[in-house]
């Protein structure tokens, strides 16, 4: 069967997922400004990019930016939330096309990430990079960052439960341990990719995940 990430997944134990931040409706002009801001934030860092530069790159005035977004914080929220939405849609397509076994679905997450970073992630995970600059839970964008990683752990937990105990709704210590191992492999690979420590970090993580899943095949 195919799996969609839009379906509900059991919440993994641990810290509760933060409430999502306020979003705004983007006009065509705001969308152009956000596209410029998104590129700059990812390439240069959030703190390094000011509203003046975003306005200049987008060909709009600072007043227009503040009229549309209200604050730089809201631009950051829209940047991260938009990137998160695109990743989830990308992953959803890959999981829907994956072979039917739960283990293959877990491996498909790594394959999807490998393709995603090749196309969209030369500087590594946008959420990890953003967290290096935004670690205050009071910042409205923090909920987007933490929310994506909580969602990824929920996905791995759901898959791990199907791998270790098919058909059982309740979790188990083995499933939770497997989910966290897969999450560590996945997130560690994204960091290694962003730092350029060695080539094809996500591909190597996928092979390590295959070895971890082998006893359940």
């Amino acid at each position: 069967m195919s799996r969609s990430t839009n379906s509900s997944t059991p919440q993994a134990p641990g810290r509760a997922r933060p409430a999502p931040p306020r979003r705004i409706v983007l006009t065509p002009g705001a969308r152009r400004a956000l596209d410029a801001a998104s590129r700059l934030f990812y390439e240069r860092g959030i703190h390094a990019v000011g509203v003046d530069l975003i306005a200049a790159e987008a060909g709009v005035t600072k007043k227009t930016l503040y009229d549309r977004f209200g604050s730089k914080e809201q631009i950051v929220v829209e940047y991260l939330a938009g990137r998160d939405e695109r990743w989830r849609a990308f992953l959803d397509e890959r999981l829907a096309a994956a072979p039917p076994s739960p283990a293959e679905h877990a491996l498909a997450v790594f394959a999807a990430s490998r393709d995603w970073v090749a196309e969209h992630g030369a500087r590594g995970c946008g959420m990890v990079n953003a967290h290096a600059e935004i670690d205050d839970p009071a910042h409205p964008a923090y909920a987007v960052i933490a929310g994506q990683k909580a969602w990824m752990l929920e996905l791995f937990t759901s898959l791990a439960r199907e791998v270790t105990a098919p058909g059982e709704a309740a979790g188990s210590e083995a499933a939770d341990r497997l989910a966290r191992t897969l999450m560590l492999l996945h997130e560690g690979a994204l960091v290694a990719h962003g730092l350029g420590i060695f080539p094809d970090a996500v591909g190597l993580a996928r092979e390590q995940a295959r070895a971890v899943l082998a006893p359940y095949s």
Side-chain angles (χ1 to χ4, degrees):
M1 65 178 178
S2 66
R3 165 176 287 275
S4 169
T5 59
N6 290 326
S7 61
S8 61
T9 55
Q11 181 150 335
R15 184 180 300 178
R17 183 188 297 186
R22 180 181 69 88
R23 301 291 303 280
I24 63 172
V25 177
L26 297 175
T27 64
R31 170 59 64 187
R32 289 194 298 273
L34 180 60
D35 288 344
S38 298
R39 175 176 54 80
L40 291 167
F41 286 152
Y42 186 71
E43 291 177 355
R44 304 188 188 186
I46 291 169
H47 291 335
V49 174
V51 174
D52 286 328
L53 179 57
I54 296 171
E57 289 285 320
V60 300
T61 65
K62 283 177 63 176
K63 181 179 184 303
T64 297
L65 279 182
Y66 283 115
D67 286 345
R68 298 292 185 271
F69 294 94
S71 66
K72 179 185 173 182
E73 287 185 343
Q74 190 64 42
I75 302 175
V76 176
V77 166
E78 300 301 330
Y79 153 60
L80 292 173
R83 190 173 179 90
D84 181 38
E85 289 167 354
R86 291 191 296 276
W87 159 244
R88 295 192 194 206
F90 183 88
L91 180 56
D92 194 59
E93 290 182 1
R94 295 307 182 91
L95 290 179
S101 78
E104 288 298 330
H105 274 103
L107 293 173
V109 177
F110 289 85
S113 288
R114 187 186 189 195
D115 291 342
W116 173 269
V117 298
E119 184 176 354
H120 305 287
R123 299 181 65 84
C125 175
M127 299 297 160
V128 171
N129 296 347
H131 188 263
E133 301 188 73
I134 301 170
D135 60 0
D136 181 2
H139 192 292
Y142 184 89
V144 182
I145 301 166
Q148 188 200 78
K149 297 310 179 183
W151 177 81
M152 287 297 299
L153 181 56
E154 289 174 17
L155 175 61
F156 278 126
T157 300
S158 177
L159 291 168
R161 288 173 181 172
E162 293 183 21
V163 168
T164 58
E168 293 187 14
S172 69
E173 183 178 347
D176 291 342
R177 186 167 55 250
L178 175 59
R180 291 168 184 171
T181 299
L182 294 172
M183 181 78 171
L184 285 170
L185 285 170
H186 183 263
E187 298 303 310
L190 294 178
V191 172
H193 168 80
L195 293 173
I197 297 174
F198 50 83
D200 197 18
V202 184
L204 176 58
R206 182 174 185 269
E207 294 313 305
Q208 293 301 307
R210 188 187 300 278
V212 168
L213 290 163
Y216 302 99
S217 299

